[in-house]
Amino acid sequence: MSRTIIAGLATALCMAASAQAQSILTAETAAPNTTPGISIIALSEAAAKEGVADIQVTSGQTLTNSVQNVAEGKTDIAAAPFILPFFLSRGVGPYASVGAEKGAELAGNLAVLYTYRISVQGLYAYDSSNIAGWSGVEGKTIYNGPPRGAALSNARLLIKTSTGLEEGSGYTGIQVNWGQAVKTIQDGSADAFVLPMSFPDPRVSAALASGNMTIFSMAKDVFEGDAFQKVAGIPGTVRFSMPVADMGYGDGVTIASEDGTFRGPGTVGADIVNASMDFDTAKALTAAFIANIEGIYHAKAPFMSVSWHGETDIAVTDMCGPNPLKYHPGAVAAWEEAGYALPDCAK
């Protein structure tokens, strides 16, 4: 065999080995039409485009489980509302069976690549239900999320803050997995819905086939009151307001607000990794995200451009304070090389 042929074979083998050396990572996220679902899918595209990794995404997951899977090293990446690592760090809520000691250990295994607003929790109902707002929740059946997870916890808390009512005594709650959400909204199982929303929200838009809807803002006095101030102090919850005119809805949806502004609790989270992920991989993933915020992330859905991807101000990221998570060191390097400033408390 000639030296030219041998050299050619060697080059081909090296190229094949290089291609195979690209990382293969796993990721879990929520339904693919939600902000966390789209965010992880966009990351997989950005990582492939930049030659960082092949990310195998499993969508439609309950993020409570996904967060624990990353903490235990079973999954590489997951979308995570910040309330979940907070619960995990204390072994409470959906992680009560884990216990405080083990929960704190697992939460210490988690690190952030980048943050975003996952949703805004709100109340909506078909106009035919004759529910006039938060005062109409009492005694009704409310679809408030999947059987287990941050959305359910947030919905119960929002209803209590807005009305003083507890599930079971003040209203009946029903829980259905996200894959059945639109069907459940449409089939009359519930009188109203307290669910995470984007603007415009795909679940609301899909359910309009069964009738017109009204989305109800939190009352301004409740939003500015002491009780909601305490809610906004919970990790992963921030105050959110937006002009009704900017919410992106067309015919079939009415926004009920006393002054033309929609108000509610914003749920903030991140795409997270295990803290043991090597520096270079975490840096490259974060750099791929930063480079493709406009080209991939914002192009995925109308609501993605207002979901706070690329923000680093702790007023909207909700890093620091009682939030137990910090940015992965590789992510810190990527952000800073891209010209962003991260607060020291989040590093």
Side-chain angles (χ1 to χ4, degrees), residues 168-190:
S169 56
Y171 65 95
T172 299
I174 61 170
Q175 290 84 49
V176 179
N177 287 326
W178 290 130
Q180 297 298 310
V182 173
K183 177 180 181 297
T184 302
I185 292 168
Q186 292 180 304
D187 69 11
S189 300

PDB file of all heavy atoms in Angstrom, residues 168-190:
ATOM      1  N   GLY A 168     -59.517  21.965  48.256  1.00  0.00           N
ATOM      2  CA  GLY A 168     -60.205  20.968  49.071  1.00  0.00           C
ATOM      3  C   GLY A 168     -61.320  21.572  49.895  1.00  0.00           C
ATOM      4  O   GLY A 168     -62.414  21.017  49.959  1.00  0.00           O
ATOM      5  N   SER A 169     -61.059  22.713  50.512  1.00  0.00           N
ATOM      6  CA  SER A 169     -62.098  23.365  51.316  1.00  0.00           C
ATOM      7  C   SER A 169     -62.732  24.539  50.570  1.00  0.00           C
ATOM      8  O   SER A 169     -63.954  24.728  50.628  1.00  0.00           O
ATOM      9  CB  SER A 169     -61.517  23.859  52.647  1.00  0.00           C
ATOM     10  OG  SER A 169     -60.418  24.729  52.430  1.00  0.00           O
ATOM     11  N   GLY A 170     -61.937  25.310  49.831  1.00  0.00           N
ATOM     12  CA  GLY A 170     -62.476  26.469  49.128  1.00  0.00           C
ATOM     13  C   GLY A 170     -62.807  26.206  47.674  1.00  0.00           C
ATOM     14  O   GLY A 170     -63.656  26.887  47.082  1.00  0.00           O
ATOM     15  N   TYR A 171     -62.143  25.244  47.079  1.00  0.00           N
ATOM     16  CA  TYR A 171     -62.375  24.882  45.686  1.00  0.00           C
ATOM     17  C   TYR A 171     -61.860  23.469  45.468  1.00  0.00           C
ATOM     18  O   TYR A 171     -61.107  22.920  46.285  1.00  0.00           O
ATOM     19  CB  TYR A 171     -61.674  25.857  44.730  1.00  0.00           C
ATOM     20  CG  TYR A 171     -60.161  25.818  44.826  1.00  0.00           C
ATOM     21  CD1 TYR A 171     -59.392  25.027  43.970  1.00  0.00           C
ATOM     22  CD2 TYR A 171     -59.485  26.555  45.798  1.00  0.00           C
ATOM     23  CE1 TYR A 171     -58.009  24.970  44.078  1.00  0.00           C
ATOM     24  CE2 TYR A 171     -58.105  26.514  45.909  1.00  0.00           C
ATOM     25  CZ  TYR A 171     -57.376  25.731  45.055  1.00  0.00           C
ATOM     26  OH  TYR A 171     -56.005  25.664  45.166  1.00  0.00           O
ATOM     27  N   THR A 172     -62.257  22.861  44.364  1.00  0.00           N
ATOM     28  CA  THR A 172     -61.794  21.520  44.014  1.00  0.00           C
ATOM     29  C   THR A 172     -60.705  21.646  42.950  1.00  0.00           C
ATOM     30  O   THR A 172     -60.915  22.281  41.909  1.00  0.00           O
ATOM     31  CB  THR A 172     -62.944  20.664  43.470  1.00  0.00           C
ATOM     32  OG1 THR A 172     -63.947  20.544  44.474  1.00  0.00           O
ATOM     33  CG2 THR A 172     -62.450  19.267  43.096  1.00  0.00           C
ATOM     34  N   GLY A 173     -59.570  21.065  43.222  1.00  0.00           N
ATOM     35  CA  GLY A 173     -58.495  21.083  42.237  1.00  0.00           C
ATOM     36  C   GLY A 173     -58.413  19.764  41.498  1.00  0.00           C
ATOM     37  O   GLY A 173     -58.623  18.698  42.089  1.00  0.00           O
ATOM     38  N   ILE A 174     -58.157  19.836  40.207  1.00  0.00           N
ATOM     39  CA  ILE A 174     -57.884  18.612  39.455  1.00  0.00           C
ATOM     40  C   ILE A 174     -56.512  18.755  38.804  1.00  0.00           C
ATOM     41  O   ILE A 174     -56.120  19.838  38.397  1.00  0.00           O
ATOM     42  CB  ILE A 174     -58.966  18.293  38.400  1.00  0.00           C
ATOM     43  CG1 ILE A 174     -59.077  19.413  37.358  1.00  0.00           C
ATOM     44  CG2 ILE A 174     -60.302  18.042  39.059  1.00  0.00           C
ATOM     45  CD1 ILE A 174     -59.945  19.019  36.171  1.00  0.00           C
ATOM     46  N   GLN A 175     -55.787  17.648  38.765  1.00  0.00           N
ATOM     47  CA  GLN A 175     -54.439  17.645  38.212  1.00  0.00           C
ATOM     48  C   GLN A 175     -54.348  16.630  37.074  1.00  0.00           C
ATOM     49  O   GLN A 175     -54.780  15.484  37.239  1.00  0.00           O
ATOM     50  CB  GLN A 175     -53.415  17.298  39.293  1.00  0.00           C
ATOM     51  CG  GLN A 175     -53.227  18.373  40.349  1.00  0.00           C
ATOM     52  CD  GLN A 175     -54.259  18.304  41.454  1.00  0.00           C
ATOM     53  OE1 GLN A 175     -54.515  17.239  42.016  1.00  0.00           O
ATOM     54  NE2 GLN A 175     -54.858  19.430  41.812  1.00  0.00           N
ATOM     55  N   VAL A 176     -53.819  17.083  35.958  1.00  0.00           N
ATOM     56  CA  VAL A 176     -53.683  16.254  34.761  1.00  0.00           C
ATOM     57  C   VAL A 176     -52.326  16.556  34.137  1.00  0.00           C
ATOM     58  O   VAL A 176     -51.902  17.719  34.104  1.00  0.00           O
ATOM     59  CB  VAL A 176     -54.806  16.550  33.736  1.00  0.00           C
ATOM     60  CG1 VAL A 176     -54.638  15.689  32.487  1.00  0.00           C
ATOM     61  CG2 VAL A 176     -56.173  16.316  34.363  1.00  0.00           C
ATOM     62  N   ASN A 177     -51.642  15.541  33.645  1.00  0.00           N
ATOM     63  CA  ASN A 177     -50.332  15.743  33.025  1.00  0.00           C
ATOM     64  C   ASN A 177     -50.419  16.677  31.821  1.00  0.00           C
ATOM     65  O   ASN A 177     -51.459  16.778  31.159  1.00  0.00           O
ATOM     66  CB  ASN A 177     -49.730  14.404  32.605  1.00  0.00           C
ATOM     67  CG  ASN A 177     -49.240  13.596  33.789  1.00  0.00           C
ATOM     68  OD1 ASN A 177     -48.757  14.147  34.775  1.00  0.00           O
ATOM     69  ND2 ASN A 177     -49.362  12.285  33.700  1.00  0.00           N
ATOM     70  N   TRP A 178     -49.280  17.331  31.529  1.00  0.00           N
ATOM     71  CA  TRP A 178     -49.268  18.346  30.482  1.00  0.00           C
ATOM     72  C   TRP A 178     -49.702  17.825  29.123  1.00  0.00           C
ATOM     73  O   TRP A 178     -50.285  18.563  28.327  1.00  0.00           O
ATOM     74  CB  TRP A 178     -47.875  18.958  30.371  1.00  0.00           C
ATOM     75  CG  TRP A 178     -47.475  19.817  31.531  1.00  0.00           C
ATOM     76  CD1 TRP A 178     -46.319  19.743  32.237  1.00  0.00           C
ATOM     77  CD2 TRP A 178     -48.210  20.900  32.111  1.00  0.00           C
ATOM     78  NE1 TRP A 178     -46.287  20.699  33.226  1.00  0.00           N
ATOM     79  CE2 TRP A 178     -47.441  21.422  33.159  1.00  0.00           C
ATOM     80  CE3 TRP A 178     -49.454  21.473  31.837  1.00  0.00           C
ATOM     81  CZ2 TRP A 178     -47.871  22.492  33.950  1.00  0.00           C
ATOM     82  CZ3 TRP A 178     -49.885  22.539  32.613  1.00  0.00           C
ATOM     83  CH2 TRP A 178     -49.099  23.039  33.650  1.00  0.00           C
ATOM     84  N   GLY A 179     -49.432  16.569  28.834  1.00  0.00           N
ATOM     85  CA  GLY A 179     -49.805  16.030  27.538  1.00  0.00           C
ATOM     86  C   GLY A 179     -51.307  16.043  27.291  1.00  0.00           C
ATOM     87  O   GLY A 179     -51.750  16.010  26.140  1.00  0.00           O
ATOM     88  N   GLN A 180     -52.086  16.092  28.352  1.00  0.00           N
ATOM     89  CA  GLN A 180     -53.549  16.108  28.250  1.00  0.00           C
ATOM     90  C   GLN A 180     -54.129  17.484  28.576  1.00  0.00           C
ATOM     91  O   GLN A 180     -55.345  17.624  28.758  1.00  0.00           O
ATOM     92  CB  GLN A 180     -54.145  15.059  29.200  1.00  0.00           C
ATOM     93  CG  GLN A 180     -53.756  13.629  28.876  1.00  0.00           C
ATOM     94  CD  GLN A 180     -54.251  13.212  27.510  1.00  0.00           C
ATOM     95  OE1 GLN A 180     -55.421  13.391  27.181  1.00  0.00           O
ATOM     96  NE2 GLN A 180     -53.359  12.649  26.699  1.00  0.00           N
ATOM     97  N   ALA A 181     -53.281  18.497  28.658  1.00  0.00           N
ATOM     98  CA  ALA A 181     -53.729  19.807  29.133  1.00  0.00           C
ATOM     99  C   ALA A 181     -54.816  20.411  28.251  1.00  0.00           C
ATOM    100  O   ALA A 181     -55.873  20.819  28.746  1.00  0.00           O
ATOM    101  CB  ALA A 181     -52.541  20.752  29.249  1.00  0.00           C
ATOM    102  N   VAL A 182     -54.568  20.509  26.939  1.00  0.00           N
ATOM    103  CA  VAL A 182     -55.540  21.156  26.068  1.00  0.00           C
ATOM    104  C   VAL A 182     -56.854  20.393  26.068  1.00  0.00           C
ATOM    105  O   VAL A 182     -57.936  20.991  26.135  1.00  0.00           O
ATOM    106  CB  VAL A 182     -54.975  21.310  24.643  1.00  0.00           C
ATOM    107  CG1 VAL A 182     -56.048  21.826  23.688  1.00  0.00           C
ATOM    108  CG2 VAL A 182     -53.776  22.248  24.645  1.00  0.00           C
ATOM    109  N   LYS A 183     -56.785  19.069  26.028  1.00  0.00           N
ATOM    110  CA  LYS A 183     -58.006  18.248  26.065  1.00  0.00           C
ATOM    111  C   LYS A 183     -58.782  18.514  27.352  1.00  0.00           C
ATOM    112  O   LYS A 183     -60.010  18.639  27.332  1.00  0.00           O
ATOM    113  CB  LYS A 183     -57.645  16.771  25.964  1.00  0.00           C
ATOM    114  CG  LYS A 183     -58.830  15.818  26.056  1.00  0.00           C
ATOM    115  CD  LYS A 183     -58.379  14.375  25.949  1.00  0.00           C
ATOM    116  CE  LYS A 183     -59.560  13.413  26.025  1.00  0.00           C
ATOM    117  NZ  LYS A 183     -60.260  13.502  27.340  1.00  0.00           N
ATOM    118  N   THR A 184     -58.058  18.609  28.471  1.00  0.00           N
ATOM    119  CA  THR A 184     -58.713  18.841  29.761  1.00  0.00           C
ATOM    120  C   THR A 184     -59.342  20.229  29.817  1.00  0.00           C
ATOM    121  O   THR A 184     -60.436  20.404  30.365  1.00  0.00           O
ATOM    122  CB  THR A 184     -57.690  18.687  30.905  1.00  0.00           C
ATOM    123  OG1 THR A 184     -57.125  17.377  30.832  1.00  0.00           O
ATOM    124  CG2 THR A 184     -58.340  18.869  32.267  1.00  0.00           C
ATOM    125  N   ILE A 185     -58.670  21.216  29.252  1.00  0.00           N
ATOM    126  CA  ILE A 185     -59.239  22.563  29.197  1.00  0.00           C
ATOM    127  C   ILE A 185     -60.533  22.560  28.389  1.00  0.00           C
ATOM    128  O   ILE A 185     -61.529  23.194  28.760  1.00  0.00           O
ATOM    129  CB  ILE A 185     -58.224  23.553  28.593  1.00  0.00           C
ATOM    130  CG1 ILE A 185     -57.034  23.742  29.545  1.00  0.00           C
ATOM    131  CG2 ILE A 185     -58.877  24.897  28.286  1.00  0.00           C
ATOM    132  CD1 ILE A 185     -55.850  24.463  28.929  1.00  0.00           C
ATOM    133  N   GLN A 186     -60.539  21.810  27.309  1.00  0.00           N
ATOM    134  CA  GLN A 186     -61.671  21.841  26.387  1.00  0.00           C
ATOM    135  C   GLN A 186     -62.845  20.954  26.801  1.00  0.00           C
ATOM    136  O   GLN A 186     -63.978  21.220  26.400  1.00  0.00           O
ATOM    137  CB  GLN A 186     -61.214  21.420  24.988  1.00  0.00           C
ATOM    138  CG  GLN A 186     -60.280  22.408  24.316  1.00  0.00           C
ATOM    139  CD  GLN A 186     -59.856  21.934  22.940  1.00  0.00           C
ATOM    140  OE1 GLN A 186     -59.322  20.848  22.784  1.00  0.00           O
ATOM    141  NE2 GLN A 186     -60.102  22.764  21.925  1.00  0.00           N
ATOM    142  N   ASP A 187     -62.587  19.901  27.583  1.00  0.00           N
ATOM    143  CA  ASP A 187     -63.645  18.894  27.770  1.00  0.00           C
ATOM    144  C   ASP A 187     -64.625  19.177  28.902  1.00  0.00           C
ATOM    145  O   ASP A 187     -65.501  18.354  29.187  1.00  0.00           O
ATOM    146  CB  ASP A 187     -63.022  17.497  27.943  1.00  0.00           C
ATOM    147  CG  ASP A 187     -62.259  17.330  29.249  1.00  0.00           C
ATOM    148  OD1 ASP A 187     -62.354  18.203  30.140  1.00  0.00           O
ATOM    149  OD2 ASP A 187     -61.547  16.312  29.387  1.00  0.00           O
ATOM    150  N   GLY A 188     -64.489  20.316  29.568  1.00  0.00           N
ATOM    151  CA  GLY A 188     -65.445  20.664  30.613  1.00  0.00           C
ATOM    152  C   GLY A 188     -65.154  20.048  31.962  1.00  0.00           C
ATOM    153  O   GLY A 188     -65.978  20.147  32.876  1.00  0.00           O
ATOM    154  N   SER A 189     -63.992  19.428  32.131  1.00  0.00           N
ATOM    155  CA  SER A 189     -63.649  18.830  33.422  1.00  0.00           C
ATOM    156  C   SER A 189     -63.499  19.878  34.516  1.00  0.00           C
ATOM    157  O   SER A 189     -63.693  19.584  35.697  1.00  0.00           O
ATOM    158  CB  SER A 189     -62.328  18.049  33.313  1.00  0.00           C
ATOM    159  OG  SER A 189     -62.421  17.012  32.366  1.00  0.00           O
ATOM    160  N   ALA A 190     -63.122  21.096  34.134  1.00  0.00           N
ATOM    161  CA  ALA A 190     -62.899  22.158  35.106  1.00  0.00           C
ATOM    162  C   ALA A 190     -63.668  23.407  34.697  1.00  0.00           C
ATOM    163  O   ALA A 190     -63.952  23.627  33.515  1.00  0.00           O
ATOM    164  CB  ALA A 190     -61.409  22.474  35.210  1.00  0.00           C
TER     165      ALA A 190
END
